[in-house]
Amino acid sequence: MDIRIGDVLKMRKPHPCGCDRFSVMRVGMDFRLRCEGCAHEVMLPRKKAEKSMKAVFRDGERVQL
């Protein structure tokens, strides 16, 4: 899956703050994601992050999964 720094991921489950969109800060074996609602940063293993993605947005446009 082609995920780049700066992409916005819409996840299946929302963050406890209620926002379901996360921006990508780091890509590798783990993803560092920042919640768009409260700016909390989380690290997720690549496999778990790819499994829980619903959509990917790059430059404001939706990217095909």
Side-chain angles (χ1 to χ4, degrees):
M1 202 171 274
D2 183 33
I3 304 299
R4 302 178 191 163
I5 295 174
D7 288 353
V8 176
L9 307 178
K10 183 173 180 177
M11 304 301 260
R12 295 191 187 281
K13 286 187 170 183
H15 189 253
C17 72
C19 185
D20 63 350
R21 292 180 180 255
F22 293 83
S23 58
V24 179
M25 306 300 293
R26 178 182 180 269
V27 178
M29 285 299 292
D30 296 321
F31 286 167
R32 176 176 284 153
L33 305 174
R34 178 181 284 158
C35 178
E36 295 275 309
C38 65
H40 183 81
E41 290 187 11
V42 295
M43 292 282 288
L44 286 178
R46 175 181 279 272
K47 191 170 187 172
K48 186 171 183 173
E50 287 179 348
K51 185 177 178 182
S52 62
M53 279 185 230
K54 201 172 190 181
V56 179
F57 296 92
R58 185 173 296 142
D59 299 326
E61 296 181 22
R62 188 178 178 144
V63 178
Q64 187 69 27
L65 288 177

